[in-house]
């Protein structure tokens, strides 16, 4: 009886200490909150080189990162803030357009439920994790040369899709994806609805990039999902 009494007393005493000194719990919650904001920010910005925590290796990432830094130092709602928000929105929508093209091809291949997961690339993804790096690179280059799925992305095709291709290779559908991308986004027939000689695919809906007066409202909705760029990575 004395033993269980001591155990219960120790447990109660420990709970009282945690209640009186919630620093550990507070630090943990702060870390989790920061991690969630980081993931949402990565999903919004769609960094072309996700493994680069400085966002300096590629010109397109550097330009977007610089815009975010400038905006973070401006008063929200000011003219300069709104102007930068429009520029940031333009950068992000170009990246979304590329992601939407990839998603539509994946859905055409039967990966409608898995598309978002296959396209989810974060800063924790490393080149060391690639299982088929050479084959993924070959497909990556082929997509850039033989299709317009990257939409002539500034600075070359985003590296983030190299990791997506590696996943597709593990599923044994790498070549199928390349074939479908040639069908939907052929180089010689860009803008003509992607009608090539391939059979067996239904054409995806057109991907639209809208830059209008709603850009500012869209940006303000997304700002709650961003962490401060000065604390990034």
């Amino acid at each position: 009886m004395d033993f269980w009494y001591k155990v219960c007393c120790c447990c109660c005493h420990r709970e009282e200490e945690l209640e009186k000194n919630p620093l550990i719990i507070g630090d943990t919650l702060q870390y989790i909150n920061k991690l969630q904001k980081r993931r949402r920010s990565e999903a919004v910005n769609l960094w072309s080189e996700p493994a680069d925590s400085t966002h300096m290796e590629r010109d397109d990432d550097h330009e977007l990162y610089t815009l975010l830094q400038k905006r973070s130092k401006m008063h929200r709602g000011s003219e300069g803030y709104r102007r930068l928000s429009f520029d940031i929105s333009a950068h992000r929508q170009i990246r979304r357009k590329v992601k939407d093209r990839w998603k539509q091809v994946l859905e055409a291949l039967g990966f409608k439920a898995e598309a978002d997961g296959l396209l989810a690339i974060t800063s924790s993804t490393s080149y060391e994790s690639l299982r088929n790096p050479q084959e993924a690179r070959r497909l990556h280059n082929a997509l850039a040369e033989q299709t317009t799925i990257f939409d002539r992305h500034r600075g070359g095709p985003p590296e983030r899709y190299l990791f997506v291709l590696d996943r597709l290779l593990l599923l044994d559908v790498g070549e199928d994806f390349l074939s479908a991308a040639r069908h939907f986004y052929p180089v010689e027939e860009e803008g003509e609805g992607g009608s090539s000689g391939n059979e067996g695919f239904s054409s995806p809906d057109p991907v639209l990039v809208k830059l209008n007066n709603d850009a500012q409202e869209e940006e303000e909705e997304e700002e709650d999902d961003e962490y401060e760029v000065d604390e990034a990575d």
Side-chain angles (χ1 to χ4, degrees):
M1 178 66 71
D2 291 341
F3 172 75
W4 291 111
Y5 176 77
K6 291 179 180 179
V7 171
C8 292
C9 288
C10 289
C11 292
C12 293
H13 180 67
R14 179 59 178 166
E15 290 178 357
E16 290 177 359
E17 285 184 345
L18 289 174
E19 290 178 358
K20 293 178 181 179
N21 187 19
L23 292 178
I24 297 178
I25 296 177
D27 290 344
T28 301
L29 292 176
Q30 184 178 9
Y31 171 77
I32 293 174
N33 184 54
K34 184 176 181 179
L35 183 62
Q36 289 175 337
K37 286 184 177 180
R38 181 186 298 273
R39 288 175 177 172
R40 287 196 296 265
S41 177
E42 290 174 348
V44 169
N45 292 315
L46 295 173
W47 300 109
S48 295
E49 178 54 271
D52 173 27
S53 61
T54 66
H55 310 304
M56 298 293 180
E57 293 183 8
R58 286 179 56 108
D59 290 340
D60 55 341
D61 281 352
H62 185 202
E63 186 173 350
L64 175 57
Y65 181 68
T66 300
L67 290 171
L68 289 167
Q69 283 186 312
K70 289 181 178 179
R71 189 178 68 172
S72 70
K73 299 174 183 177
M74 289 193 170
H75 178 68
R76 183 169 180 169
S78 65
E79 181 180 352
Y81 186 98
R82 273 198 270 259
R83 184 168 58 251
L84 287 171
S85 290
F86 186 86
D87 292 339
I88 290 169
S89 180
H91 277 271
R92 287 173 170 172
Q93 289 194 57
I94 290 172
R95 293 162 188 251
R96 288 193 201 106
K97 179 179 179 181
V98 174
K99 182 181 178 181
D100 286 344
R101 289 186 173 196
W102 278 71
K103 184 175 181 178
Q104 288 174 335
V105 175
L106 286 173
E107 290 178 349
L109 291 174
F111 293 97
K112 186 172 183 178
E114 300 83 5
D116 288 330
L118 289 169
L119 292 169
I121 306 297
T122 68
S123 59
S124 62
T125 307
S126 66
Y127 285 95
E128 289 74 17
S129 68
L130 292 172
R131 301 289 294 276
N132 300 283
Q134 295 182 346
E135 185 64 12
R137 178 66 66 185
R138 183 188 69 80
L139 290 174
H140 194 254
N141 292 336
L143 286 166
E145 296 169 359
Q146 302 172 24
T147 78
T148 57
I149 195 169
F150 292 118
D151 197 32
R152 307 191 186 283
H153 199 281
R154 180 181 176 187
E159 283 287 287
R160 67 183 301 108
Y161 294 102
L162 182 71
F163 300 99
V164 178
L165 289 169
D166 189 64
R167 295 171 179 177
L168 296 180
L169 286 168
L170 291 176
L171 296 172
D172 198 28
V173 292
E175 290 293 341
D176 292 337
F177 186 91
L178 176 59
S179 176
R182 286 188 186 124
H183 171 75
F184 292 131
Y185 304 107
V187 174
E188 63 277 2
E189 294 180 298
E190 182 180 9
E192 295 181 7
S195 57
S196 67
N198 295 335
E199 298 294 338
F201 294 109
S202 59
S203 298
D205 295 330
V207 180
L208 301 178
V209 176
K210 180 175 62 175
L211 296 177
N212 53 28
N213 293 333
D214 294 334
Q216 173 65 22
E217 295 179 4
E218 175 187 349
E219 285 302 317
E220 292 189 359
E221 289 177 357
E222 291 174 346
E223 278 163 14
D224 292 336
D225 292 339
E226 295 178 24
Y227 57 87
E228 291 297 326
V229 290
D230 290 334
E231 299 178 0
D233 306 298

